[in-house]
Amino acid sequence: MPCTTILVGKKASYDGSTIVARNEDSANGEFNPKRFCVVDPEGRTSYTSKISHLTVPLPAEDGVRYTAVPNADLSQGLWEEAGFSARGVAMSATETLTSNERVLGADPMVVYQPAKGTPGSDDFEPEQPGGIGEEDMVTLVLPYARSARDGVRILGELLERYGTYEMNGIAFSDVNEIWWLETVGGHHWIAKRVPDNCYVTMPNQLGIDSFDLADALGEQIEHMCSPDLAEWMAAHHLDLTLRAEGEDDKVFNPRDAFGSHSDEDHLYNTPRAWSMQRFLNPHAQSWDSPEAPMGPEANDLPWASVPERKVTIEDVKYVLSLHYQGTVYDPYGKFGTEATRGHYRPIGINRNSQLSVLQARPYGPEATRCVQWLAFGSNPFNALLPFYASVSQTPAYLEQTDPKRVSTESFYWANRLIAAMADANYAECVPAIEAYQLDLGSEGQGVLATTDALVAKQGLGAEAAQDLLEEANQHMADYAREKTDELLAKVLYERSMHMANHFARSDA
């Protein structure tokens, strides 16, 4: 899936939280209705993928409850995407990545092959399952991981054993750290710990730009990888790093070795990283100058950067809604020309399905530490809502999305309707949308503060606090429903006033 990710280390965030956030975007020409739920893996002994027809045995006794944002239509599988486990581990999967011919020739993707010929005949070829992919990863890993690092280990072993049919980036976090894993070819992978004082931007390209093989194959303090990565790279001449005399030959640039720098990247991918870094480090350079060393098509935008100030939840929502505001590339803007406006692929696009911001907070009772912020639909027009993850159920307004029936009873569909109508009259609708976003964000922060304090005052553990957390979640859903209905009415009125067939007697 074409997505956009930002990761924020605990020393770079406003409150010491680790923050993992990703837009899940549907493919061009389709939309994937989403729902928010809690999953209990008890009783599962195996899992079978819809896409790759692969069956994987599951550890029957180790799985714990977790939140997820699966597809409402299960015809293509679960696609659970993002959530927290009851152990406080978060996972976001996946960010689709690009690669190159050298990598894919050295380790081809593991693609499902249907049976051919007639069973029992000489020409019969049995079905060959494919590897694992975005459809499967949260289901196979999140309920079983005991830490962010352990999530990397589990997924790495699955990739080595079964392979994958697509290039992906996957984030794992807990209250202490964030890890980012990138698949490389069909069976290989690398993972790097996000520096605590940095944020990371990922726009559908292989992103890690420096990797220490000695650490990954040794102590694994900041790096992890496939056990045979060094031998495989050497056999296929994949390391493209130029080194001066005496430089460490174990440190290389994975983006050069495993990634791509195509013309399509320069229109579709790199401008998104540029726009996020432009917002979070506004004084790093003259971002809009033609002479700027790093422009929207630069190949060397850093994977990790230290922000100019601490990053908030509101900042994360803003950058994952960006459509190049204030530049000649903004499709809703007045700068530039028709040729420049819409030239680059926005982050906030019509095909945003859901945004999950996974915040692991280091303070307060353990029961309240994990918060999954959620938005559905096109991000420039929606709002981000907080939900406690240590619960056994989620509000119906977010869970009961009918994939075939458009209804304002669903938070997903209500947001889709608002965006589709507001887009045509953006300037007229944006004041109401911004007021809606501020209102829901403020209510959300207030609900968290009040509930945090109540749980702490009563000294409640995870199980004892569950009712209070579910009440807070339900309040947030009820408040969002009321305000979303109000916004829908305003946007509908504004759009109706601009219909092509409008006419008043005073016009005659």
Side-chain angles (χ1 to χ4, degrees):
M1 289 292 180
C3 307
T4 309
T5 294
I6 183 169
L7 314 172
V8 184
K10 61 187 179 183
K11 292 183 180 178
S13 73
Y14 72 108
D15 66 344
S17 296
T18 58
I19 300 175
V20 165
R22 179 177 59 89
N23 291 340
E24 179 195 357
D25 303 336
S26 60
N28 189 36
E30 64 182 55
F31 293 96
N32 293 319
K34 304 298 296 187
R35 51 190 290 266
F36 176 49
C37 64
V38 175
V39 181
D40 187 348
E42 185 177 356
R44 286 181 181 173
T45 58
S46 67
Y47 167 83
T48 300
S49 167
K50 291 268 190 178
I51 292 175
S52 63
H53 298 245
L54 174 70
T55 297
V56 179
L58 298 175
E61 298 178 359
D62 291 338
V64 297
R65 188 177 64 196
Y66 61 100
T67 57
V69 196
N71 285 358
D73 180 354
L74 299 180
S75 61
Q76 293 299 310
L78 289 171
W79 298 77
E80 292 187 319
E81 296 300 321
F84 272 106
S85 77
R87 295 188 177 108
V89 179
M91 181 178 179
S92 178
T94 69
E95 180 80 23
T96 305
L97 305 181
T98 55
S99 189
N100 61 62
E101 299 88 340
R102 300 181 311 279
V103 170
L104 299 180
D107 184 8
M109 295 296 173
V110 184
V111 179
Y112 167 69
Q113 300 291 336
K116 296 179 182 179
T118 305
S121 65
D122 293 340
D123 65 346
F124 178 67
E125 296 179 18
E127 176 185 75
Q128 296 294 323
I132 61 173
E134 181 171 351
E135 175 198 344
D136 322 304
M137 289 182 179
V138 167
T139 310
L140 291 174
V141 179
L142 182 56
Y144 311 104
R146 299 181 179 276
S147 66
R149 182 185 291 265
D150 191 45
V152 172
R153 178 192 63 80
I154 294 171
L155 181 55
E157 290 176 355
L158 289 168
L159 290 166
E160 291 159 24
R161 180 173 180 180
Y162 298 108
T164 183
Y165 53 86
E166 58 189 4
M167 292 278 290
N168 281 315
I170 301 95
F172 297 93
S173 66
D174 53 37
V175 76
N176 297 310
E177 58 184 3
I178 304 172
W179 281 82
W180 179 251
L181 182 151
E182 295 182 332
T183 64
V184 181
H187 299 85
H188 292 85
W189 58 276
I190 59 174
K192 184 164 182 171
R193 186 182 185 275
V194 175
D196 291 339
N197 65 337
C198 288
Y199 69 90
V200 164
T201 55
M202 287 297 307
N204 286 139
Q205 283 178 287
L206 194 135
I208 298 174
D209 53 10
S210 179
F211 195 83
D212 188 338
L213 267 174
D215 180 38
L217 297 171
E219 295 184 74
Q220 299 186 340
I221 297 171
E222 306 285 342
H223 306 78
M224 299 170 70
C225 70
S226 309
D228 67 337
L229 189 71
E231 294 86 351
W232 175 70
M233 287 178 63
H236 297 280
H237 315 287
L238 295 176
D239 185 358
L240 304 184
T241 304
L242 286 171
R243 299 177 179 85
E245 182 99 19
E247 278 192 297
D248 191 343
D249 64 358
K250 296 297 183 184
V251 176
F252 73 100
N253 186 331
R255 195 184 296 177
D256 288 339
F258 309 135
S260 65
H261 300 303
S262 69
D263 294 336
E264 185 177 352
D265 285 332
H266 295 154
L267 291 176
Y268 197 83
N269 296 328
T270 51
R272 284 182 276 155
W274 173 83
S275 66
M276 288 190 278
Q277 294 181 27
R278 177 179 179 271
F279 175 76
L280 293 170
N281 287 86
H283 302 104
Q285 64 169 4
S286 180
W287 291 94
D288 302 314
S289 168
E291 289 76 36
M294 290 185 293
E297 298 184 19
N299 290 327
D300 55 356
L301 288 161
W303 177 70
S305 302
V306 178
E308 292 185 15
R309 61 167 175 80
K310 292 185 176 182
V311 180
T312 67
I313 295 294
E314 295 74 32
D315 292 331
V316 170
K317 173 62 168 71
Y318 184 77
V319 299
L320 290 179
S321 305
L322 281 169
H323 45 87
Y324 306 105
Q325 294 94 308
T327 77
V328 299
Y329 311 116
D330 184 0
Y332 300 113
K334 297 181 179 179
F335 301 124
T337 66
E338 287 190 17
T340 60
R341 291 191 290 271
H343 182 65
Y344 294 130
R345 191 266 208 204
I347 297 173
I349 197 170
N350 65 325
R351 293 181 281 108
N352 296 142
S353 296
Q354 61 90 17
L355 162 61
S356 283
V357 181
L358 305 171
Q359 182 184 17
R361 307 183 297 170
Y363 49 84
E366 188 173 344
T368 62
R369 288 187 175 185
C370 299
V371 177
Q372 183 162 354
W373 297 76
L374 270 171
F376 286 155
S378 182
N379 285 349
F381 306 97
N382 63 21
L384 195 61
L385 312 180
F387 295 98
Y388 289 103
S390 297
V391 294
S392 62
Q393 60 183 345
T394 54
Y397 188 46
L398 287 94
E399 181 176 359
Q400 295 178 7
T401 304
D402 188 325
K404 296 182 179 179
R405 179 175 174 265
V406 177
S407 168
T408 57
E409 296 170 8
S410 158
F411 189 52
Y412 174 86
W413 287 120
N415 277 281
R416 277 264 174 252
L417 291 168
I418 288 168
M421 289 188 288
D423 175 84
N425 295 98
Y426 180 81
E428 293 84 2
C429 292
V430 75
I433 290 166
E434 289 177 346
Y436 166 79
Q437 292 168 336
L438 179 64
D439 187 358
L440 265 64
S442 302
E443 183 70 13
Q445 292 286 5
V447 167
L448 291 180
T450 301
T451 308
D452 287 353
L454 190 57
V455 172
K457 182 178 180 179
Q458 296 183 19
L460 301 177
E463 291 301 318
Q466 190 169 286
D467 287 346
L468 277 177
L469 302 186
E470 290 176 358
E471 287 175 15
N473 288 355
Q474 187 61 53
H475 169 82
M476 196 66 242
D478 292 342
Y479 190 86
R481 182 169 184 169
E482 176 187 348
K483 299 302 178 180
T484 302
D485 287 348
E486 290 176 5
L487 177 62
L488 180 59
K490 292 176 183 177
V491 170
L492 175 61
Y493 171 82
E494 192 63 54
R495 185 70 198 101
S496 298
M497 292 301 101
H498 290 83
M499 291 173 65
N501 64 350
H502 71 276
F503 195 90
R505 174 168 286 188
S506 59
D507 295 333

